[in-house]
Amino acid sequence: MQNQFFQPFTTDISGISLPEKFTFPFYYQPHPLSKIAASALQNYLETQTDFEHNFGLDETQTGLIIGKMFGVLVCQNEEGELGYLWAFSGKLANENHHNYFVPTVFDMLTENSFFRKEEELLNAYNRKIESLEKNSDYHTTLENFNQSKIQAESELQQQKTRIKEQKILRDEKRNQLAPTLNEEDLQHLNFELSEESKQESILLKKMTKYWKLTLQSLEEKVAVFTNEISQLKEERKAKSSQLQQKLFAEYSFLNQYKEKKSLGEIFNDNPPAGAGECAAPKLLHYAFQHNLKPICMAEFWWGQSPNSEVRQHKQFYPSCKSKCEPILMGHMLQDLEMDENPFIMNHAEGKDIEIVYEDEVMLVINKPTEFLSVPGKTISDSVYARIAAKYPESTGPLIVHRLDMSTSGIMLIAKNEATAVQLQSQFINRTIKKRYVALLDGLLAQSYGYIDLPLRVDLDDRPRQLVCDEHGKPAKTKWKTIEVKDGKTKVYFYPITGRTHQLRVHASHSLGLHTPIVGDDLYGTKADRLHLHAEWIQFEHPITKEVMEIKVEAEF
């Protein structure tokens, strides 16, 4: 097999050492070789004329703006030569194939493919269903049925109302005449009134029977069409399901042993939309298919950020978790020696919690950066665990509020349940005042402001958050600049709400400050730490009711 997409390095890389292990794709610093390969791809994207795609970088370009994730894989061929592969996620310019980019793992759009044939069959079903649903005879019959149903309900209701009204009149007549009649005439009157009642009831029964038969006949005529439509839809659903399962089976990925595993097997026949179309699986599949040894990998965003996400042009990002993690970690990277997974490492090891204030009912602590507030899925070491161990006699939830693992600063700790409830009520009622200090990676156009961007979790890439007007929870922040130095801006954040990653997203999102916090490994660029610190808090002491203010300076 020819490695037509393998591109040897054209720059001098003799002074660059190879990485000892392959890139852990879900958290990494790009290796110098990956950066060179990415730079070559970015130069190509800036100058190419092979395709037209609106990335949102050229204001004169028309059409739908779609930013795109690109990936590079540095690899070594069987001759020992180093080079790299390029890939894009999803489609590019509505196509699966472009020069210089590795192909999709399975191309359902090739001419004469089974997908094309099955798709045409499904389209034929769609045309038949649409034709029946637009059929004039069907609409006329359906209209007749609906109108007759309305008329039947109206006439039957009128008769029921008449029966009630006539009964009232008969009762009034009986009450009026009864005192003036002898027994024989009274019996005759009661007989006449009873017969009138029976006739009204008989008429209602006849009307009910008539409309039942009439509507049944019309409904049977409607059913001639609806049954055929339903049958076609059921057949279409079955064909669509069969096609989907066939696609899941055909979409198979290789690992270094050239073992295949399909989407269906990996995701138990229920993969998320777009699974397998990301850059990373494409790159690794092509490498294994063509006997190329993976060395290191990186992915970057090219173009304008989507309105909901935080994506910076040319910024490197990890592979997405919901779509890529089961494919990569569950199969493709099997037995490949990789960098350590930081998500299973205890970053709090060797760090101490500073107690800033303490009395008989509560604590105020200074949480270090990269320190969990509560135990995680794999790491139990946390503020909660440390405090529980230090104060074994304490009762209640202890943790009154949380800080993100990467955020340092002030946390309130309760030693008993009553204190926890009282402090939590202050948070709920927003009577507690907080101030964070952050260093932003750039300059701001204004010196103060207010941000209102609702947030929700990115279901495809937890724990990242999305801006979402439809399903997001309210997230509001006030801010002001306190210092500008060396191209960076130090700001105060005053969170009005307390959503996950609220300050990080509000800082980095294009509709917020559009300037990420220094060291933000999710929404900006990784550094020595996240430069975000809960610096100051004001609250009412749960026992003395004294208004307390506590401040802890940031270490950055």
Side-chain angles (χ1 to χ4, degrees):
M1 283 182 161
Q2 291 185 347
N3 300 334
Q4 66 181 98
F5 298 103
F6 178 80
Q7 303 180 63
F9 284 95
T10 56
T11 57
D12 182 15
I13 59 171
S14 58
I16 302 176
S17 300
L18 296 182
E20 295 181 2
K21 300 177 181 178
F22 186 67
T23 310
F24 178 71
F26 303 100
Y27 194 92
Y28 63 90
Q29 284 275 62
H31 187 272
L33 290 174
S34 291
K35 288 184 176 180
I36 293 172
S39 179
L41 173 49
Q42 291 171 3
N43 288 337
Y44 166 76
L45 291 172
E46 287 173 340
T47 59
Q48 65 83 28
T49 57
D50 297 329
F51 58 85
E52 289 188 12
H53 183 102
N54 188 2
F55 293 102
L57 302 174
D58 182 355
E59 294 181 357
T60 64
Q61 193 171 0
T62 59
L64 184 64
I65 295 174
I66 304 176
K68 186 67 59 178
M69 194 74 79
F70 288 86
V72 294
L73 176 66
V74 176
C75 42
Q76 195 173 38
N77 64 18
E78 292 178 292
E79 289 72 41
E81 183 181 22
L82 279 178
Y84 49 81
L85 304 172
W86 293 346
F88 51 83
S89 292
K91 293 181 177 61
L92 181 61
N94 292 318
E95 296 289 340
N96 279 328
H97 298 280
H98 290 280
N99 293 332
Y100 309 112
F101 294 96
V102 301
T104 183
V105 175
F106 172 73
D107 188 2
M108 65 181 74
L109 302 180
T110 54
E111 192 174 354
N112 296 323
S113 69
F114 76 84
F115 178 81
R116 291 281 196 187
K117 295 174 182 176
E118 294 292 330
E119 185 181 43
E120 180 52 40
L121 181 59
L122 290 175
N123 287 336
Y125 272 102
N126 291 335
R127 289 191 293 270
K128 286 181 181 178
I129 293 169
E130 185 179 5
S131 176
L132 280 170
E133 288 178 337
K134 290 183 177 180
N135 185 286
S136 59
D137 290 340
Y138 169 51
H139 281 276
T140 299
T141 305
L142 184 61
E143 181 65 20
N144 288 339
F145 172 72
N146 290 332
Q147 289 297 328
S148 296
K149 191 175 181 181
I150 293 171
Q151 185 179 353
E153 291 173 355
S154 175
E155 291 187 8
L156 291 173
Q157 184 58 48
Q158 287 177 11
Q159 179 60 16
K160 290 176 183 178
T161 301
R162 174 180 166 79
I163 289 174
K164 291 180 181 178
E165 292 173 346
Q166 291 300 312
K167 182 181 184 303
I168 294 172
L169 292 174
R170 286 193 298 273
D171 289 342
E172 290 176 351
K173 185 176 181 180
R174 180 184 294 106
N175 293 334
Q176 184 180 2
L177 296 178
T180 65
L181 299 176
N182 57 36
E183 185 174 347
E184 183 179 349
D185 290 339
L186 181 59
Q187 288 180 354
H188 182 71
L189 174 63
N190 287 334
F191 177 78
E192 286 182 349
L193 295 177
S194 175
E195 284 299 309
E196 287 180 13
S197 176
K198 289 178 182 178
Q199 292 304 315
E200 294 288 356
S201 297
I202 290 170
L203 178 58
L204 177 61
K205 290 179 181 178
K206 288 181 177 180
M207 290 173 64
T208 301
K209 184 176 181 180
Y210 166 78
W211 280 118
K212 181 180 179 180
L213 293 173
T214 300
L215 292 176
Q216 184 177 336
S217 175
L218 290 171
E219 193 171 25
E220 288 173 357
K221 292 179 181 179
V222 172
V224 172
F225 295 94
T226 56
N227 289 344
E228 187 175 358
I229 291 172
S230 297
Q231 179 64 29
L232 288 170
K233 286 183 175 180
E234 285 297 319
E235 291 177 10
R236 181 183 64 181
K237 183 179 179 181
K239 292 287 183 184
S240 179
S241 179
Q242 291 171 9
L243 174 58
Q244 194 174 50
Q245 296 306 314
K246 193 171 182 180
L247 282 173
F248 294 163
E250 291 291 332
Y251 233 111
S252 298
F253 305 89
L254 293 171
N255 61 16
Q256 64 174 328
Y257 304 118
K258 285 190 166 42
E259 296 170 338
K260 284 188 175 183
K261 205 166 188 180
S262 71
L263 268 181
E265 293 173 298
I266 294 170
F267 289 98
N268 294 320
D269 289 331
N270 188 32
E277 286 296 308
C278 295
K282 290 181 182 179
L283 290 166
L284 289 165
H285 180 81
Y286 186 88
F288 293 138
Q289 190 177 36
H290 294 83
N291 301 315
L292 300 171
K293 179 184 178 182
I295 303 297
C296 54
M297 183 174 65
E299 295 175 88
F300 64 87
W301 182 262
W302 187 265
Q304 186 172 306
S305 176
N307 289 334
S308 61
E309 296 181 69
V310 176
R311 297 293 186 191
Q312 304 288 338
H313 180 53
K314 293 188 178 182
Q315 175 68 46
F316 289 98
Y317 289 96
S319 299
C320 64
K321 289 192 174 181
S322 69
K323 298 176 185 178
C324 290
E325 189 170 31
I327 298 173
L328 301 182
M329 304 304 290
H331 173 62
M332 298 191 81
L333 296 176
Q334 180 184 343
D335 295 337
L336 205 64
E337 193 173 9
M338 285 183 291
D339 294 330
E340 285 190 273
N341 179 356
F343 300 114
I344 61 174
M345 297 169 60
N346 181 14
H347 298 281
E349 190 172 344
K351 297 180 180 180
D352 295 320
I353 297 174
E354 176 189 4
I355 297 176
V356 179
Y357 169 86
E358 180 177 7
D359 60 30
E360 68 277 9
V361 297
M362 66 173 294
L363 300 166
V364 180
I365 68 163
N366 179 22
K367 184 185 83 69
T369 184
E370 301 306 321
F371 204 117
L372 290 169
S373 294
V374 296
K377 290 183 178 180
T378 56
I379 306 298
S380 60
D381 194 8
S382 59
V383 171
Y384 175 85
R386 298 279 185 98
I387 296 297
K390 186 176 178 65
Y391 300 91
E393 302 302 319
S394 295
T395 60
L398 296 176
I399 303 300
V400 177
H401 64 121
R402 304 182 188 184
L403 293 178
D404 290 341
M405 182 177 77
S406 298
T407 304
S408 61
I410 294 172
M411 284 182 65
L412 304 185
I413 307 294
K415 289 184 177 180
N416 57 62
E417 186 173 357
T419 300
V421 170
Q422 209 285 332
L423 290 173
Q424 284 172 346
S425 70
Q426 293 185 51
F427 277 101
I428 292 170
N429 295 323
R430 298 179 183 173
T431 57
I432 287 183
K433 297 179 181 179
K434 296 175 288 179
R435 184 178 75 216
Y436 290 69
V437 62
L439 186 64
L440 305 187
D441 196 10
L443 305 178
L444 304 179
Q446 298 175 315
S447 58
Y448 64 92
Y450 172 79
I451 304 167
D452 183 2
L453 294 175
L455 302 176
R456 70 166 177 84
V457 69
D458 185 346
L459 298 175
D460 291 331
D461 200 11
R462 296 174 184 271
R464 290 176 64 91
Q465 302 293 307
L466 299 176
V467 172
C468 180
D469 291 325
E470 185 177 0
H471 301 293
K473 294 181 179 179
K476 302 173 182 180
T477 306
K478 291 182 179 179
W479 66 275
K480 73 174 183 178
T481 298
I482 54 176
E483 184 182 17
V484 178
K485 185 178 179 181
D486 299 329
K488 292 178 170 55
T489 305
K490 186 176 286 188
V491 299
Y492 281 149
F493 282 124
Y494 302 91
I496 298 170
T497 55
R499 306 302 176 199
T500 301
H501 296 178
Q502 175 176 315
L503 301 181
R504 297 168 71 173
V505 177
H506 281 185
S508 57
H509 196 275
S510 59
L511 299 177
L513 299 182
H514 204 192
T515 310
I517 299 171
V518 172
D520 192 337
D521 54 6
L522 281 178
Y523 309 102
T525 305
K526 190 178 184 299
D528 59 322
R529 61 157 290 173
L530 176 69
H531 285 58
L532 177 63
H533 177 75
E535 178 188 62
W536 173 86
I537 193 167
Q538 182 186 86
F539 63 97
E540 183 185 88
H541 192 279
I543 302 298
T544 68
K545 305 306 179 183
E546 175 190 359
V547 175
M548 302 187 64
E549 290 189 31
I550 294 178
K551 181 179 179 181
V552 177
E553 296 282 354
E555 295 182 1
F556 53 84

